[in-house]
Amino acid sequence: MSRIEFGLIALLAAGNTLAGEPPPARQKELVHLVRQDCGSCHGMTLQGGLGPALLPANLQDKPAEGLVATIIGGRPGTPMPPWNQFVSEDEARWIVDKLMTGFPP
Amino acid sequence: MRLFFAAFAAFIVAACAGPQVRGTGDLGLVIERASGQVTLVDTSVRQPYARVAGLGDLSHASAVYSRDGRYAFVFGRDGGLTKVDLLEGRIVKRVIQAGNAIGGSISQDGRIVVAQNYTPGGIKAFDAETLELLAEVPAEYAPGKFSKVVGLADAPGNQFAYALFDGGEIWVSDFSDPRRPVTRRFPAGSQPYDGLVTPDGRYFLAGLFGEDGVALLDLWQPDKGARKILENYGRGQEKLPVFKMPHLRGWSVAQGKAYLPAIGRHEVLVVDTASWKEVGRIPVRGQPVFVIARPDGRQVWVNFAFPDNGKLDVIDTLAGRVVKAFEPGKGILHMEFAPRGEHVWLSARDDNRVLIYDTATFGKLGEIAADSPSGIFFTSRAHRIGF
C-alpha cells in the first residue's frame, strides 16, 4: 500500500467517526433534549413512563437502525412522535448509541 | 409584679423557641425534578421558606394535600410516596409503592391516598395517616393484560375515577370500605391519556389520544355508561405531532364551559358543560399542555408542548380569544394560581426559576430560584373536588 493510499484511508476513517459524533456543544443540547423532552414520556431517568424504558437492558436486543428510524419517523398509532424536525439521522444514531451503552447524565 | 414579668418573659422565650403557630392556607410546594427535593413556599410573602430533600425521582411528580392543608403527599416517578409536613418542613413518612408511578389523589374524607401506576398498572390505596397499604386494584383489563393508569381523580363518596391507556376503559372504584373497593368498568375509547372530574364532582372526562374525542361519564348516572363528546373534532385532517401529552384536571371548567386541549391541533376546544356540545375553538400558538382557568373563570392560561414550551397564551373567557401572548421564560412546565387568582406562579424549568405574575396587569411580581422546577402545588387544592 502506498503512503498516499494509507493516508487516504486514515483520513476517511477519521472523517467517518467525526460525521457520527455531534460537536460537544450539540451533544449537550441532545442530552438535555433526551432527558427533559423525551423524558416527559420515557422518564427523566429513562426508566419508562407512557413510553417504554430506554435503558441499555431494554434496548440491547433491538437493531439500532430500527430505533434510529423510530426516533426520526415516530411510530404511527402510538404517542411516539417523529423528531426529524429537531434531530438529524446522525444525531439520532448518536442518541441510540448512547442509550444502548448508558446515557450521559 | 416582678414575678409576673419574669413569667411573662419566660413565656415569650418559649413561644419563640417552639414551633410558630400559623395556618397553612397560603402555603405550597414546588417540585424540583432534577434534585429530588421540594421547595416550600409562602404565597402571601411570595417567598420560599424551606427545602425538603430526599424524595427520590421527581420527574413528572405531583402532590395532593391533607384536608387540613398541613401534609403534602408527593407521588414520584420512581413509585415513591412521600408525606411532607409543611409546617415543620420535613418528611414524615416515605414508602416505595410501585415501580413506576404517575400521580395520585386523596379521598373526599381525607383518609385514603390513592396512587396511580404505570408498572405494575393499577391503583393502590394507602392510609393517609400511616401510609399503610389498604387495597390494590390491578388494571387487568383482559386476562393477564395490565394497563397503564391515567387521569385518576377523586369524586364524592370516596370514589376514584381513572382511565386505562392500554385498556381503553374508564374505571370507577368505590372505597366506602377502604380495604374492599368495588370497581365498575366502562368502555371509553382508544388510548385515554388523562382525565378529570368536574369541580362539582359529577362528571369524569377522559381525553382520548387514539381518536378525536373525549369520553364522558356521568357519575350520578353511571348506568348510562360513558359517551363520546367532541367526536371528530379534527374533522379527519392530519394531526400535528404531539411532543408532550396534555394534562387534564377540573381547572378546565370556567363559566359553564370546559376549555380542553385538542390533540394534534393548535387549538383549545370549548364545550358547554350543560349540553356537552362544542361551542367554539380558540387558536393558540402550539400544542396545549395545561389549560387552566383562573379561579374566578375570567381567564384561561395555556402552556405548550415542546418546541413551544417557552410560550404562554391567556384567553379572556368573555372575549373568547387570546388577549395576552408572551414568552416568560424557557421550558414553562406548569402554572398554579394563588387561591383567589390574583397572581400565578410559573415554573421555568430551563431558567431554574419560578416566576410570579400579576394576572390583572400581567406584570412580573417576583421570582424565586429553583433547581429545574416542574409542578407547583398550593394547599388550596386540599378543598377542591377532583384534585
Side-chain angles (χ1 to χ4, degrees):
Chain A
M1 195 190 312
S2 81
R3 208 181 295 162
I4 293 175
E5 264 177 300
F6 180 77
L8 205 67
I9 291 168
L11 202 77
L12 281 176
N16 240 339
T17 55
L18 279 180
E21 281 266 297
R26 181 63 182 153
Q27 290 186 17
K28 249 185 93 181
E29 285 172 13
L30 291 173
V31 168
H32 185 268
L33 177 82
V34 170
R35 292 244 169 239
Q36 302 297 339
D37 297 301
C38 311
S40 75
C41 286
H42 294 283
M44 208 170 58
T45 54
L46 305 173
Q47 299 190 45
L50 193 64
L54 299 179
L55 299 171
N58 309 99
L59 299 179
Q60 60 182 8
D61 298 331
K62 305 197 169 155
E65 278 311 303
L67 300 174
V68 171
T70 296
I71 295 173
I72 291 299
R75 288 221 181 126
T78 82
M80 177 62 188
W83 292 86
N84 56 344
Q85 297 171 53
F86 308 104
V87 299
S88 69
E89 257 187 75
D90 280 336
E91 289 170 344
R93 218 163 267 129
W94 181 82
I95 290 173
V96 166
D97 181 57
K98 293 294 167 199
L99 289 172
M100 295 183 91
T101 51
F103 204 78
Chain B
M1 190 66 196
R2 208 182 295 158
L3 201 70
F4 171 75
F5 267 120
F8 186 70
F11 172 73
I12 294 282
V13 169
C16 292
Q20 192 196 352
V21 176
R22 79 169 332 280
T24 56
D26 57 355
L27 301 183
L29 65 80
V30 177
I31 307 275
E32 294 176 79
R33 68 199 311 227
S35 52
Q37 61 179 11
V38 295
T39 289
L40 307 184
V41 296
D42 176 333
T43 61
S44 294
V45 296
R46 302 194 295 261
Q47 289 294 333
Y49 67 91
R51 284 206 153 78
V52 182
L55 283 84
D57 177 2
L58 291 182
S59 53
H60 209 292
S62 64
V64 298
Y65 284 98
S66 61
R67 56 195 281 135
D68 61 4
R70 175 165 179 180
Y71 299 102
F73 300 91
V74 182
F75 305 92
R77 210 2 139 16
D78 56 1
L81 166 58
T82 312
K83 183 173 178 180
V84 176
D85 183 337
L86 262 63
L87 288 180
E88 294 189 348
R90 64 181 184 92
I91 294 175
V92 182
K93 181 107 191 163
R94 176 171 160 78
V95 295
I96 298 292
Q97 57 88 20
N100 196 324
I102 176 80
S105 191
I106 187 161
S107 61
Q108 182 177 40
D109 66 6
R111 291 161 71 171
I112 312 165
V113 172
V114 175
Q116 65 177 338
N117 297 319
Y118 278 159
T119 31
I123 63 169
K124 282 189 182 178
F126 299 86
D127 183 310
E129 193 63 44
T130 61
L131 299 191
E132 177 208 353
L133 180 67
L134 296 171
E136 292 184 55
V137 184
E140 189 175 9
Y141 61 98
K145 287 182 140 178
F146 293 83
S147 176
K148 300 182 194 82
V149 170
V150 299
L152 177 76
D154 59 282
N158 278 4
Q159 298 185 93
F160 292 89
Y162 48 102
L164 276 59
F165 176 81
D166 311 280
E169 293 180 1
I170 293 171
W171 287 19
V172 180
S173 296
D174 183 333
F175 282 81
S176 299
D177 180 348
R179 289 186 188 272
R180 267 168 293 275
V182 178
T183 299
R184 294 188 64 179
R185 303 171 53 166
F186 306 90
S190 171
Q191 297 175 325
Y193 65 86
D194 203 358
L196 69 87
V197 163
T198 51
D200 58 9
R202 175 163 178 184
Y203 296 99
F204 181 73
L205 274 68
L208 302 174
F209 180 83
E211 61 184 290
D212 282 347
V214 172
L216 172 81
L217 178 68
D218 183 348
L219 297 169
W220 290 5
Q221 306 176 82
D223 291 340
K224 291 188 168 174
R227 68 182 171 100
K228 229 158 272 168
I229 61 168
L230 290 171
E231 232 172 330
N232 197 26
Y233 64 76
R235 303 186 185 113
Q237 288 165 8
E238 195 163 337
K239 283 184 184 171
L240 299 166
V242 177
F243 294 104
K244 182 176 183 174
M245 282 292 173
H247 285 275
L248 306 177
R249 208 89 301 218
W251 57 54
S252 284
V253 178
Q255 300 295 311
K257 299 187 180 100
Y259 293 78
L260 301 169
I263 289 280
R265 301 180 65 89
H266 294 179
E267 287 175 341
V268 170
L269 308 172
V270 190
V271 198
D272 184 304
T273 57
S275 65
W276 293 107
K277 293 225 161 35
E278 181 184 325
V279 291
R281 44 180 78 193
I282 299 169
V284 288
R285 289 182 298 161
Q287 166 66 54
V289 174
F290 283 102
V291 179
I292 306 187
R294 200 172 67 178
D296 65 345
R298 178 68 196 264
Q299 295 174 348
V300 172
W301 289 54
V302 187
N303 78 341
F304 302 104
F306 177 88
D308 299 306
N309 55 9
K311 302 175 184 167
L312 267 182
D313 283 1
V314 183
I315 295 167
D316 179 326
T317 54
L318 192 60
R321 61 183 171 82
V322 172
V323 292
K324 173 80 181 171
F326 65 128
E327 285 79 39
K330 285 202 295 242
I332 302 294
L333 287 198
H334 197 218
M335 45 211 173
E336 179 87 333
F337 287 94
R340 298 206 200 174
E342 73 281 12
H343 49 86
V344 63
W345 293 42
L346 313 171
S347 48
R349 179 194 66 201
D350 298 342
D351 290 332
N352 293 307
R353 295 236 166 310
V354 171
L355 314 172
I356 307 167
Y357 278 81
D358 185 308
T359 61
T361 63
F362 303 114
K364 193 162 142 190
L365 296 173
E367 55 177 53
I368 62 179
D371 188 8
S372 250
S374 57
I376 307 174
F377 302 88
F378 294 161
T379 55
S380 44
R381 289 174 177 246
H383 307 116
R384 295 177 76 173
I385 294 172
F387 280 75

